[in-house]
Amino acid sequence: MAMTIHVDIVSAEEEIYSGPANEVFAPAVMGEVGILPRHSPLITHLKPGEVVVRQEGKEDQYFFVSGGILEVQPHVVTVLADTAIRAADIDEAEAKAAKERAEEAMRNSQSDQEYAKANAELLEAIAQLRMLEHIRKKVAR
Amino acid sequence: MSGEKEIRTKIKSIQSTQKITKAMEMVAASKMRKAQDRMAGTRPYARKIRNVIGHLAMAHPEYKHPFLVEREAKRVGFIVISTDRGLCGGLNINLFKKAVTAMKEWQEQGVEIDLCVIGSKASNFFRRHGNIVSEITHLGDTPHIAELIGTIKVMLDSYEEGRIDRLYLVANEFINTMSQKPYVQQLIPVEASEEEELKHHWDYLYEPDSKEVLDGLLMRFIESQVYQGVVENVACEMAARMVAMKSATDNAGTIINELQLVYNKARQAAITQEISEIVAGAAAVG
């Protein structure tokens, strides 16, 4: 049997996933990273995007994170997500609306702080939408 | 009539008090269930981030974040989490006792203390006893992390500027409905984890670089620990109130029973007296 690595995905509100995986993908700030068992210790920020847990003999599982921190120990991966949602729970309409709201706010924003906030919201909404498309393609295939 | 009426009004007033305590008990019970769910939800994050931080303290980054460096303590900071409202038994008093004992130890060594208080009970109590540098009250039953950030930042800033050299958190731990235990936890400098396998010399790979990652992570760590404390405190408050109100209701019941007996005796005595008066009157006439 292939080697596995233990994955914990937690958000500030709840525990989202805990279990073994053969491979984990996460959206690190410097670019997407793929983690296999016995990866050397790594710690990095995450940007909005999807965390994929791949397990042999099972379908890939997708989780949306809107940012957070990824810690890797040789046998444990911990995702400390700011908010993580199971991909199936993302409401597409809601995501689109959020994107529009953020764009609107960005156009109207006065201060730098408002701009930064709107920008963050926009990135988040885009990441959610991208992830939904991703899943849809998978299903269509 | 020896206070027959007085006793009756007394019973009435105790009965209405009992109704209030009963209602408070039930409200606290239902709020406790919700608070407990929330607490259970936030626990994994708090625990995981503590693990990560524990690992981190064992690593040897080229960048030494101030939160990881032990300094000689000249002044220490305490964050005390209490409730906003009373009528919850000894919950706050036990917590304050624990905090005061911990502070005494430092004061005996000539160390001064800065306080950050959360909840109006702590604010009232420590106003007379200590130097409060920041406070937040009336967070309600569903506290949000965003409301806490500013208050905590005051303490973190004063640590970074060297005004305080240690930071402790004093809060209640929810064990079960019947028992809540106050504890003192050292937040900064960060304590290393005890895991054996990490004892050798090693370090993380940091992306993008260690400074940025550590800054973000440590900030989040402190915030999540305090937030967890606050969420847990709400559950503790509700549980303690429920128990306190239950015993108040029971006590009211006992007092009512006793008063009822006294009342019955007084009434009986009055009737007996009346009868003997009538009999005596009849005898005199006859």
Side-chain angles (χ1 to χ4, degrees):
Chain A
M1 196 190 138
M3 268 203 304
T4 58
I5 186 162
H6 188 84
V7 186
D8 287 308
I9 302 177
V10 292
S11 80
E13 283 93 29
E14 59 181 339
E15 183 163 44
I16 287 166
Y17 178 84
S18 177
N22 297 98
E23 196 170 3
V24 183
F25 298 99
V29 274
M30 306 286 282
E32 186 151 328
V33 289
I35 294 146
L36 294 164
R38 295 213 180 150
H39 194 286
S40 65
L42 163 79
I43 200 158
T44 178
H45 279 292
L46 296 178
K47 61 186 178 189
E50 54 190 355
V51 173
V52 186
V53 176
R54 183 163 292 168
Q55 213 176 331
E56 216 164 74
K58 278 193 191 170
E59 260 187 53
D60 291 359
Q61 294 192 67
Y62 293 83
F63 302 92
F64 171 77
V65 296
S66 69
I69 288 165
L70 171 78
E71 191 226 11
V72 181
Q73 288 284 344
H75 298 290
V76 188
V77 176
T78 311
V79 179
L80 300 164
D82 290 347
T83 49
I85 318 168
R86 274 200 189 75
D89 297 345
I90 300 180
D91 184 349
E92 189 175 8
E94 186 56 40
K96 271 212 175 100
K99 186 179 160 201
E100 274 156 26
R101 265 204 308 277
E103 278 169 347
E104 180 73 29
M106 214 144 98
R107 273 196 293 277
N108 299 337
S109 63
Q110 307 293 328
S111 65
D112 285 351
Q113 196 188 358
E114 271 174 42
Y115 184 85
K117 200 174 159 203
N119 197 14
E121 273 170 22
L122 180 61
L123 280 178
E124 204 174 295
I126 290 173
Q128 284 193 356
L129 281 173
R130 197 180 308 136
M131 179 162 162
L132 280 168
E133 266 163 36
H134 209 98
I135 294 168
R136 195 159 312 122
K137 254 184 252 152
K138 279 252 162 77
V139 174
R141 234 184 277 151
Chain B
M1 297 288 137
S2 81
E4 221 178 288
K5 200 162 165 238
E6 280 161 39
I7 297 174
R8 216 166 36 217
T9 34
K10 192 137 203 191
I11 290 178
K12 273 268 158 59
S13 89
I14 293 176
Q15 266 169 347
S16 60
T17 311
Q18 192 187 26
K19 267 184 206 149
I20 295 172
T21 56
K22 183 88 198 163
M24 285 180 79
E25 179 196 332
M26 291 198 290
V27 170
S30 86
K31 279 188 179 171
M32 184 186 76
R33 228 156 286 140
K34 276 183 233 151
Q36 242 174 310
D37 289 347
R38 247 194 324 271
M39 179 185 76
T42 54
R43 253 187 190 169
Y45 187 89
R47 213 174 26 229
K48 285 277 143 46
I49 199 164
R50 200 182 305 155
N51 278 352
V52 173
I53 293 285
H55 294 163
L56 193 67
M58 303 283 291
H60 300 79
E62 67 270 38
Y63 162 69
K64 273 283 172 198
H65 193 278
F67 289 1
L68 295 170
V69 183
E70 192 129 343
R71 303 197 290 233
E72 195 199 338
K74 287 188 221 69
R75 201 178 177 91
V76 297
F78 278 86
I79 298 178
V80 183
I81 302 173
S82 79
T83 67
D84 275 323
R85 278 167 297 172
L87 291 182
C88 49
L91 185 72
N92 287 322
I93 294 300
N94 289 340
L95 180 81
F96 296 157
K97 260 192 215 150
K98 187 94 182 175
V100 168
T101 327
M103 286 177 206
K104 270 243 174 67
E105 274 174 34
W106 284 110
Q107 275 163 340
E108 276 162 13
Q109 298 168 32
V111 175
E112 283 182 87
I113 284 161
D114 276 349
L115 278 167
C116 163
V117 293
I118 298 172
S120 51
K121 285 286 154 187
S123 160
N124 290 338
F125 181 84
F126 287 107
R127 186 155 298 151
R128 285 171 284 135
H129 292 81
N131 174 25
I132 299 180
V133 293
S134 74
E135 70 169 68
I136 183 164
T137 56
H138 303 292
L139 286 169
D141 296 335
T142 49
H144 291 288
I145 204 158
E147 298 167 297
L148 290 167
I149 288 175
T151 322
I152 302 167
K153 194 165 183 337
V154 174
M155 295 311 263
L156 297 184
D157 285 349
S158 65
Y159 183 88
E160 271 171 34
E161 289 159 17
R163 258 177 287 135
I164 57 172
D165 307 298
R166 291 268 151 98
L167 185 61
Y168 289 94
L169 174 71
V170 189
N172 279 304
E173 188 192 355
F174 186 95
I175 297 169
N176 55 42
T177 319
M178 300 306 287
S179 73
Q180 298 86 32
K181 209 172 112 217
Y183 65 91
V184 181
Q185 183 196 351
Q186 180 173 326
L187 290 180
I188 348 181
V190 170
E191 285 175 317
S193 82
E194 309 270 291
E195 284 173 56
E196 279 298 322
E197 57 171 313
L198 295 174
K199 287 268 157 72
H200 61 90
H201 191 98
W202 63 283
D203 193 15
Y204 282 112
L205 302 167
Y206 298 91
E207 275 184 38
D209 61 66
S210 56
K211 183 175 183 313
E212 207 163 303
V213 173
L214 289 184
D215 282 350
L217 182 59
L218 286 162
M219 204 69 113
R220 249 173 253 227
F221 165 65
I222 307 287
E223 280 161 12
S224 87
Q225 295 301 305
V226 177
Y227 179 66
Q228 174 66 19
V230 171
V231 171
E232 205 150 323
N233 192 55
V234 174
C236 288
E237 178 188 356
M238 293 311 161
R241 177 165 302 132
M242 190 182 84
V243 172
M245 287 303 116
K246 183 162 171 41
S247 72
T249 312
D250 292 348
N251 287 345
T254 330
I255 293 177
I256 289 172
N257 281 343
E258 279 167 16
L259 282 178
Q260 194 71 49
L261 272 184
V262 175
Y263 171 75
N264 288 349
K265 266 188 200 148
R267 197 179 63 112
Q268 199 57 54
I271 292 168
T272 313
Q273 198 186 345
E274 226 167 273
I275 290 174
S276 65
E277 272 165 18
I278 291 167
V279 170
V285 172

